[in-house]
């Protein structure tokens, strides 16, 4: 009985050894790629925000509508800016009347300057006449001094009025400009209550209903290109250094399970998303599907290298990244390109080297 057990054990071990899978390396083409999750989005997609707060009076468009640059999208109501605009308009009118009106301060100063000029002219005539008389020894020194003093006072008075006029004119002009700026600012704030499209495109979403409160921090709508779509690819940080603009990507979409689409990498965003530890890549279809919608999901493989007629083995036969099993024991190899199934062998074995699959 013991002998029979030993024989069966030896037969079983021999059978296991004989059943070890052996293959030979083969020459084939190999493509190495970087995997990425894919999401289709309209080109130039952006979220619409209001520049002011208020209450949404009405949506002027519907989801799916085609819009042009400047097309009104939403109307917001708020009484305060309208009142501010009216007050600013009244202030501007008052400032302009003070600057140009018949009862303006400048008009009064002009009349005072005219009177001071006449008075100066009169005092000037009296002074120079008295000085000529005094040169002829006619009149008194005190009378001459009085005439000189009156003449000098008249000069100073007119100079003061002219200086006041220039200063007042500048101040009033400044007030007019400030009032006009305030009025224009108020008008602009009123215009901001009608939110318009910044691009030619399509309305993909409306986030608010009439009657809801609108703030400057919440998006009101989403607008993007109506015909041009991009593919957003999320790539792991360990692979981002392998990518460059212009590389080809193979895209599979859940909505088109039997098709593979080619695309080209057009943009690499330099900032890593700390939450997902990924980088965002944008690619465009070489020949897009007939129908696309925002948010269509799928997978992408960005091709980083391709080689023809190279020595390859199944990846399952590689041990610790650089060793293979042969009938003569383990052999160290140098590897090159890799994909999910196969790996390129640069050195260590040849096409005639038998390989044994490692035990799992």
């Amino acid at each position: 009985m013991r002998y029979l057990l030993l024989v069966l054990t030896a037969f079983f071990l021999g059978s296991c050894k004989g059943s070890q899978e052996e293959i030979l390396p083969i020459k084939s083409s190999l493509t190495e790629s970087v995997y990425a999750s894919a999401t289709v989005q309209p080109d130039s997609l952006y979220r619409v925000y209001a520049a002011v707060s208020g209450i949404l009076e009405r949506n002027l468009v519907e989801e799916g509508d085609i819009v042009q640059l400047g097309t009104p999208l939403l109307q917001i109501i708020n009484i305060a800016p309208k009142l501010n605009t009216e007050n600013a308009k009244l202030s501007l009118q008052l400032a302009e009347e003070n600057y140009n009106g018949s009862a303006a301060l400048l008009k009064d100063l002009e009349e005072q300057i005219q009177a001071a000029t006449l008075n100066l002219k009169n005092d000037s005539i009296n002074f120079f006449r008295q000085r000529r008389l005094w040169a002829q020894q006619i009149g008194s020194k005190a009378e001459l001094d009085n005439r000189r003093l009156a003449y000098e006072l008249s000069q100073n008075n007119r100079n003061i009025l002219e200086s006041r006029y220039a200063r007042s004119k500048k101040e009033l002009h400044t007030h007019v400009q400030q009032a006009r700026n305030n009025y224009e600012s108020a008008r602009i704030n009123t215009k901001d209550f009608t939110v318009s499209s910044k691009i030619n495109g399509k309305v993909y979403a409306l986030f608010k209903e009439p009657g809801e409160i609108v703030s400057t921090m919440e998006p009101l709508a989403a607008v993007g290109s109506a015909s041009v779509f991009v593919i957003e690819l999320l790539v792991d940080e360990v692979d981002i250094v392998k990518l460059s603009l212009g590389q080809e990507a193979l895209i599979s979409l859940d909505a088109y399970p039997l098709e593979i689409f080619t695309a080209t990498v057009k943009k690499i965003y330099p900032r890593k998303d700390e939450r997902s530890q990924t980088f965002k890549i944008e690619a465009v279809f070489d020949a897009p599907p007939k129908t696309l919608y925002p948010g269509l999901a799928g997978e992408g493989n960005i091709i980083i290298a391709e080689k023809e007629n190279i020595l390859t083995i199944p990846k399952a036969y590689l041990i610790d990244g650089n060793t293979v099993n042969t009938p003569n024991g383990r052999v160290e190899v140098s590897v090159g390109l890799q994909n999910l199934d196969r790996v390129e062998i640069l050195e260590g074995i040849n096409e005639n080297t038998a390989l044994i699959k490692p035990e799992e």
Side-chain angles (χ1 to χ4, degrees):
M1 184 70 178
R2 183 177 177 185
Y3 174 77
L4 178 60
L5 181 61
L6 290 174
V7 170
L8 289 175
T9 302
F11 174 78
F12 177 76
L13 292 175
S15 299
C16 289
K17 183 176 181 181
S19 66
Q20 285 182 313
E21 297 182 37
E22 290 189 7
I23 64 166
L24 293 176
I26 62 172
K27 289 287 186 72
S28 66
S29 60
L30 190 64
T31 299
E32 184 174 358
S33 63
V34 168
Y35 172 82
S37 61
T39 306
V40 175
Q41 296 289 6
D43 189 27
S44 304
L45 181 69
Y46 79 100
R47 290 177 176 262
V48 179
Y49 289 84
V52 291
S53 300
I55 297 175
L56 180 62
E57 182 178 17
R58 58 192 175 117
N59 289 317
L60 303 176
V61 294
E62 295 182 357
E63 293 179 338
D65 283 356
I66 302 297
V67 295
Q68 303 299 317
L69 173 66
T71 298
L73 303 175
L74 312 106
Q75 182 68 44
I76 303 170
I77 56 173
N78 193 325
I79 302 301
K82 294 183 178 179
L83 296 178
N84 291 339
T85 301
E86 291 298 322
N87 291 335
K89 185 177 181 179
L90 293 174
S91 297
L92 175 59
Q93 290 173 349
L94 179 60
E96 289 176 338
E97 288 176 2
N98 288 336
Y99 186 65
N100 299 318
S102 58
L105 174 62
L106 292 181
K107 187 68 175 178
D108 183 54
L109 286 174
E110 287 175 355
E111 292 174 352
Q112 291 184 45
I113 290 174
Q114 290 176 0
T117 300
L118 292 174
N119 191 46
L120 174 61
K121 185 176 181 180
N122 185 61
D123 289 338
S124 174
I125 293 172
N126 291 334
F127 167 64
F128 286 106
R129 180 189 297 118
Q130 189 64 39
R131 192 169 67 174
R132 286 194 300 272
L133 293 174
W134 175 250
Q136 299 172 15
Q137 299 299 314
I138 300 173
S140 64
K141 182 68 166 57
E143 190 173 6
L144 174 63
D145 291 339
N146 289 336
R147 297 293 185 187
R148 178 184 290 109
L149 180 59
Y151 170 62
E152 291 176 352
L153 289 174
S154 295
Q155 277 187 316
N156 290 338
N157 183 48
R158 191 183 70 169
N159 291 341
I160 290 172
L161 288 173
E162 288 178 341
S163 176
R164 185 184 302 170
Y165 176 85
R167 184 171 62 253
S168 299
K169 184 175 182 179
K170 184 177 180 180
E171 290 176 354
L172 290 173
H173 183 265
T174 300
H175 291 162
V176 171
Q177 288 298 114
Q178 290 175 339
R180 183 174 290 113
N181 291 341
N182 290 336
Y183 177 55
E184 291 298 325
S185 177
R187 287 182 60 199
I188 292 172
N189 286 338
T190 303
K191 290 180 180 178
D192 284 342
F193 282 79
T194 300
V195 182
S196 302
S197 175
K198 304 298 183 186
I199 62 171
N200 298 328
K202 178 187 286 189
V203 178
Y204 286 99
L206 295 171
F207 302 126
K208 291 284 186 179
E209 295 295 332
E212 291 189 279
I213 295 176
V214 172
S215 75
T216 58
M217 304 298 294
E218 296 179 299
L220 303 179
V223 179
S225 173
S227 57
V228 180
F229 287 80
V230 297
I231 311 159
E232 292 185 357
L233 301 167
L234 297 182
V235 178
D236 192 277
E237 64 175 326
V238 300
D239 296 320
I240 189 63
V241 295
K242 303 174 184 177
L243 303 184
S244 60
L245 299 179
Q247 288 176 328
E248 183 183 11
L250 303 178
I251 307 297
S252 62
L253 297 176
D254 296 341
Y256 296 90
L258 302 180
E259 297 184 63
I260 299 294
F261 303 97
T262 60
T264 304
V265 175
K266 292 296 183 182
K267 188 172 184 179
I268 299 175
Y269 289 84
R271 185 174 181 273
K272 182 177 73 172
D273 187 319
E274 296 296 337
R275 292 177 298 177
S276 63
Q277 299 296 302
T278 59
F279 285 83
K280 185 167 77 171
I281 309 297
E282 277 189 7
V284 295
F285 287 104
D286 295 334
K290 182 178 179 180
T291 304
L292 287 173
Y293 290 95
L296 290 183
E299 297 179 337
N301 285 282
I302 305 170
I303 298 173
I304 59 175
E306 291 182 286
K307 287 185 179 180
E308 301 287 341
N309 196 34
I310 59 174
L311 190 66
T312 66
I313 65 170
K315 211 167 186 179
Y317 282 73
L318 192 64
I319 305 171
D320 297 330
N322 66 345
T323 307
V324 293
N325 268 337
T326 71
N328 298 323
R330 290 195 174 187
V331 176
E332 189 171 313
V333 296
S334 298
V335 300
L337 296 186
Q338 302 182 44
N339 61 20
L340 293 177
D341 301 318
R342 302 191 71 82
V343 57
E344 177 190 10
I345 301 299
L346 301 175
E347 293 179 349
I349 59 175
N350 56 40
E351 293 179 80
N352 300 317
T353 305
L355 302 178
I356 301 173
K357 187 175 182 180
E359 295 181 2
E360 297 182 357

